[in-house]
Amino acid sequence: MGSSFNLSGKVEANKQGLLRNLDTKRQKLDIVNKRIKAALKSVRKNWLKIHQYKRQGSHLKYEIALLEERIKAGAPSICFGSRNLFRKQFTIKDNGYASHADWLADWQGARSSQFYCLGSKDESFGNQTCQFCLKGYSSDSPMP
């Protein structure tokens, strides 16, 4: 029962993170657009700077579109393993690993984490407390 609660929390945290990220990107795009207008109004135009602002603006629009797609899809991006552990591969010696193979063993151990839910053959899909839906996350699981 605790696993479904933790998973729901992770899904909600992922969704909130995407919304925060989208808001930040939109604010940055507004700032870039203001800089473009200001640069175009100046007497002495720096065309390289204007070009870079436009390039940055188009990249932000692309990132905003991707974030909006992810939010609209509703499927969370959650995986086992941590960012900290992933980044340790780039400084193997500093993080106490003898080789990349040692780090890889730890990484695969963290990535193969799992949880277990007891089911029954009379239940729908074999388990009423936890069901995986390939089309997205289903929040129909009962919460403790």
Side-chain angles (χ1 to χ4, degrees), residues 102-121:
D102 292 342
W103 169 85
L104 187 60
D106 282 354
W107 174 250
Q108 288 173 340
R111 294 279 295 166
S112 66
S113 295
Q114 53 186 302
F115 64 95
Y116 179 76
C117 297
L118 185 61
S120 171
K121 66 180 178 181

Side-chain angles (χ1 to χ4, degrees), residues 23-135:
D23 187 46
T24 302
K25 300 279 184 197
R26 285 182 176 153
Q27 288 174 2
K28 286 182 180 181
L29 182 60
D30 289 342
I31 291 169
V32 168
N33 286 334
K34 287 177 186 175
R35 287 181 178 167
I36 291 171
K37 287 179 185 176
L40 287 171
K41 285 182 182 178
S42 72
V43 175
R44 204 169 155 204
K45 292 176 178 51
N46 185 342
W47 293 106
L48 180 62
K49 187 180 276 192
I50 293 169
H51 166 73
Q52 292 301 329
Y53 285 147
K54 287 183 177 180
R55 193 179 65 75
Q56 184 181 13
S58 66
H59 184 70
L60 283 169
K61 287 177 189 173
Y62 171 74
E63 287 182 340
I64 288 170
L66 287 179
L67 282 170
E68 287 172 343
E69 270 184 43
R70 285 183 62 193
I71 291 168
K72 185 178 177 184
S77 176
I78 298 172
C79 69
F80 293 106
S82 70
R83 182 181 297 177
N84 254 353
L85 183 57
F86 179 75
R87 289 182 177 166
K88 285 183 180 182
Q89 72 175 312
F90 302 118
T91 52
I92 296 289
K93 302 291 183 203
D94 296 342
N95 289 303
Y97 292 106
S99 67
H100 190 266
D102 292 342
W103 169 85
L104 187 60
D106 282 354
W107 174 250
Q108 288 173 340
R111 294 279 295 166
S112 66
S113 295
Q114 53 186 302
F115 64 95
Y116 179 76
C117 297
L118 185 61
S120 171
K121 66 180 178 181
D122 357 338
E123 300 294 341
S124 64
F125 298 103
N127 193 325
Q128 80 177 34
T129 58
C130 183
Q131 295 177 357
F132 181 74
C133 178
L134 288 177
K135 293 184 180 177

Side-chain angles (χ1 to χ4, degrees), residues 3-37:
S3 295
S4 66
F5 180 73
N6 289 338
L7 185 60
S8 295
K10 288 184 182 294
V11 168
E12 186 59 31
N14 182 269
K15 183 179 176 183
Q16 293 302 318
L18 288 175
L19 291 172
R20 258 191 326 273
N21 198 357
L22 181 63
D23 187 46
T24 302
K25 300 279 184 197
R26 285 182 176 153
Q27 288 174 2
K28 286 182 180 181
L29 182 60
D30 289 342
I31 291 169
V32 168
N33 286 334
K34 287 177 186 175
R35 287 181 178 167
I36 291 171
K37 287 179 185 176

